[in-house]
Amino acid sequence: MSRLFLIVITTVLLAAASQPASAQSTGRDIVKKMHDRYAGKWYRSFTFNQTTEVYRNDSVQRTQTWYEFIRFPERFRMDFGPADSGNVAIYRRDSCYRYRNFQLRSTTINNNEGLIFLLGGMYFYPLDQVYTIFDSLHYDLAKVHEDTWKGRSVYIVGAGKGEEGVNQLYIDKENLYPVRMLKVDRQGKLDALFEDWKAMGGGWLETKCSFYLNGKLLQTETYHDYKTNVSLDDRIFDPANLVRSH
């Protein structure tokens, strides 16, 4: 083997080993990959009802049917129980309006943990704005690594390998939908699982969600009668004049 060949091989290996981190994949790259695949294709709206089970100490405390209406990128309504109960939450942009018996009880900051955005809304914003919203949700898009989750390959956006105690999002590597969300704050660690995805209306729809706080199961949600690209009257999302949704 010639000295020249050895020099060339050594130079190539050293160059590869010394490539800066910016030349490797980041969370921004994965977000762009998601956006490139689904922007302009994802369904604009969907409706469903869900069986909601609320847990305490690993036992079901309450089971209820909720009726839900979403129009991306930022309108979301939940009716808790029968339509004539008037127990409703409406999410619009950064605010949440809560009603009991058709009476407004509170107006708070949107505390949906960005789920409307992460589960479809992100495909209705320009990519630069998507990055800004991810930053506002406190995901570090400089970080990403690959792993497996429930037997499937995933990207983990927001964390380095083995890093805990930070917000991170597990993205199915093949289909590019989120399967797990970890959010960490003063209350502890929220662990949300998104499962049983169905191909729907140019995108995907999660049909089962489970939520844990500090390792304890809080709530499961199982979707039924789901429909995409349905026409939704804007009045059902109007907090100034609450009307029946169904």
Side-chain angles (χ1 to χ4, degrees), residues 44-155:
R44 184 60 186 263
S45 62
F46 73 103
T47 64
F48 60 100
N49 62 59
Q50 71 179 37
T51 300
T52 305
E53 295 180 323
V54 178
Y55 286 77
R56 180 177 295 175
N57 297 324
D58 299 320
S59 297
V60 177
Q61 298 296 301
R62 183 172 74 254
T63 301
Q64 192 175 32
T65 300
W66 295 0
Y67 299 85
E68 309 203 14
F69 310 82
I70 293 178
R71 189 166 72 206
F72 293 124
E74 47 77 24
R75 297 194 179 185
F76 177 28
R77 171 169 169 157
M78 292 188 292
D79 286 50
F80 307 98
D84 59 3
S85 70
N87 299 327
V88 175
I90 294 176
Y91 294 85
R92 288 174 64 110
R93 300 183 183 89
D94 58 356
S95 297
C96 175
Y97 306 85
R98 294 186 178 275
Y99 296 80
R100 188 169 183 82
N101 194 25
F102 291 98
Q103 299 297 313
L104 181 62
R105 299 296 185 181
S106 66
T107 302
T108 61
I109 294 174
N110 186 335
N111 58 355
N112 196 243
E113 301 294 348
L115 291 182
I116 303 170
F117 171 78
L118 296 171
L119 296 173
M122 63 179 285
Y123 304 118
F124 297 87
Y125 295 106
L127 183 58
D128 285 347
Q129 190 173 356
V130 169
Y131 292 144
T132 298
I133 295 173
F134 264 98
D135 287 342
S136 74
L137 294 171
H138 306 294
Y139 292 99
D140 185 350
L141 292 185
K143 298 179 180 179
V144 68
H145 68 280
E146 297 186 24
D147 209 327
T148 57
W149 171 253
K150 296 195 172 184
R152 291 183 63 84
S153 297
V154 293
Y155 300 112

